[in-house]
Amino acid sequence: MLFWMSLGPILLSAAALAAGWFLQARQARRHTLRELARFVSQSPDPSCALHDDGRIISKSPPFIELFGSGAVHLDHLPLPSDVMAHLMRQQGAMSQSRTMDIQDPQGRQHIIRLSLYCSVTPARRGWRVLLVQDLTEQERLHHENLRWNTALNGSRIGLLCFDLTLRRVHATRQCLNAMLGLGDEWQDIAFDDWLERVHPDDRGRLERLLNHAVPHNAGAASTEYRLKHEDGHWEWIEQRSQVISRDRHTHEIVALCHVITPRKLAEQEIRRREQEFRMLVENSADIISRYDLDLRCQYINRSVTRYSPLARDEHIGKKIHEKGWPDNVTRQVVEACREVIREHEQRTIEIQLSIGDHQYFFESRIFPEFDSHGQLTSLLCIDREITEARQANRLLADENAIMEMIADNRPIEETLQQICRMVEPQLGQAMCTIMLVDESAHDLRMAASAALPTEYRDLLARAPIGAETGACGTAAFWKRTVIVNDIEHSPLWSHLPQLARAGLRSCWSTPVLAADRTLLGTIALYYREPRNPNAEELRLLYRISHITAIALQRNLHESQLYQMATRDGMTGLLNRRHFVDLAGRELKQASRDRQPDAVLMMDLDRFKTINDTYGHAAGDMVIIHFAKLCQSILRSTDFIGRMGGEEFCALLPGSDLAEARHIAERIRLATENDEVVTPEGARIRYQVSIGIACSEDGEAMESLLKRADRQLYAAKKAGRNRVADSAAVSENL
């Protein structure tokens, strides 16, 4: 009892000591944790203090900027699930995560790595510090360095040091290997050895740089020269040199070099192309000129001398109205130029010039020219003569397919093959071939042949151009048509007797010529029997020759395509389709303006009798004669077209019935009183019947033509050689 009584105070003292120690430890722990939270909140690095259960107790400002102020628990951080699980399981003193990509509240991407520090001391147990390393800038610099290193390793840049005292050249390995393909033995060489590799034309310039080097206050001096590569070719080098001086004496030149061969070759190519372009412009068949914005001539090529009485140099400095052109042409060109200046868009006009006894038609294209800032500086004019296109005869029926192929820019081989296929059905047993001048200009080569058997194509694959070298070679040599009616007995084919033995007996060949009579090739028709061509066969051969020339020169004769689609090949008049189109538009305009229009439907009387009596060639002469007669009587505002065969139609804008009767009677009388004389001396007289119809308000062109056709029928029925209209039928005077 006494023992327990004496033990009580001891136990009370121990309990008091334990309680005091516990309170002291608790206060110390709280103080430590407050200091830790304060340290974290003031940390310049992204960090936070974590409780064991994942709560975020304290955050640094960079941490808030990276993850946002709303993150109060570890689960709120945008971390991958595997990283989150690793952090929650962490028990050791320190752990570091892998790198990962996150997005901050502002949408910016970051690359981070996490480090978790856990306390193992009793005072800090239950608290952890999460430190975030932002590696974004470090990774960016790392990738930039990689790109720079890759670029430098792949570039052809090197460093040279010219020691002016020892007369030695020191070069980096990069300079020698990447630039010139040289080995390490060239890293330290004498001046003379280095100069030996310099191109002879550039050696003097580099020697002067080395022998007369002076400091450059304005910076590095630049020079360009050629060095011989190890494999034997020349490399252009641009060298930027800096003179290094010590004690007022020049000791060395440090130079940064890089290869500029591609640039120099590009510059040479540009100069070559500019020279070629100047030659093309200067020798172009088109008139090419440039005018300033005051329409004063700055340049004109030599082609102008073919059409202008002024010397070429006299055009320079003159305005358009000072060139001596007719007033109407001057006004037309000036107005088009002013439209281009005003609208900044290309204009195309057609002009007609009378020079001496000749009439010339030109298609003039006017283009605006701009500087690098988009400001209009001048006008470029290209004048192309289209006289031949205007005057040439055209075929329409079988040629439309060829024209479409040319317009579609189809391969020339396909176009030529189609021409052969087009000709052969029209000429029965003919076998068509097209041969082109080869690069040597001494031979012809086979370009197309549809029906010619393979054994013949092999024999005719090539033909020399000469005075007596087969029909094609001779036609090409003399630039005229050659007819061989019997190959077996012709001296032109003595060099190729196996052709006759193979079964080809006759050949007609005509040259294919450009507008300037440059030889392009030949077209030939072969037959298995001896024969001569008739007039129609020759005419077709000539026309096919023209079509082939157009196909071969489609870029030089664009305007001829339109001509062929709108004109009658024999007379040069409008064809039916184009006449109906133009007349229909005129009729609509006249209806809007409430103006009268009249149509004359004309048909040559008993034309079949003319063909049967005098032949088709004489019939063609009659048709051409009548077309010219109508053109001489009709006004410039009237339209006339060949509707087919011996039928013609004319539209008289602004003409009433009385005026139409007067014009029709003039045509009828002129036809009756004139005659056609054939080459054989035959005199052919012929007559025409004419039907008249005047337009009614709102009437369509088809209706007007039908009414005129009915009046033509009435004139025929009344005895021919008459003019008939809805009011009366003129009597034959």
Side-chain angles (χ1 to χ4, degrees), residues 703-720:
S703 174
L704 184 59
L705 290 176
K706 287 180 180 178
R707 292 199 295 112
D709 203 45
R710 285 197 295 268
Q711 296 304 320
L712 173 62
Y713 177 76
K716 292 279 190 181
K717 189 175 180 181
R720 296 184 176 85

Side-chain angles (χ1 to χ4, degrees), residues 135-205:
L135 306 176
T136 307
E137 185 65 19
Q138 179 180 340
E139 289 292 321
R140 185 185 66 80
L141 293 176
H142 174 69
H143 286 299
E144 285 189 0
N145 288 335
L146 286 179
R147 286 196 296 268
W148 274 107
N149 289 334
T150 302
L152 288 175
N153 290 334
S155 65
R156 304 180 71 185
I157 299 176
L159 189 67
L160 292 176
C161 181
F162 296 89
D163 190 325
L164 303 180
T165 302
L166 300 178
R167 307 288 290 177
R168 306 285 294 179
V169 180
H170 308 286
T172 62
R173 179 177 298 176
Q174 175 73 9
C175 177
L176 295 171
N177 197 314
M179 291 170 53
L180 301 172
L182 299 175
D184 293 345
E185 66 274 11
W186 284 82
Q187 285 186 269
D188 185 1
I189 59 172
F191 273 16
D192 292 340
D193 294 335
W194 182 262
L195 290 173
E196 280 296 320
R197 300 199 73 86
V198 178
H199 194 281
D201 295 343
D202 305 329
R203 195 172 296 158
R205 184 162 60 253

Side-chain angles (χ1 to χ4, degrees), residues 320 325 329-338 349 351 366:
I320 291 178
W325 294 347
V329 174
T330 299
R331 284 194 300 270
Q332 184 182 8
V333 174
V334 169
E335 181 179 351
C337 290
R338 301 224 177 273
I349 60 175
I351 61 177
I366 306 171

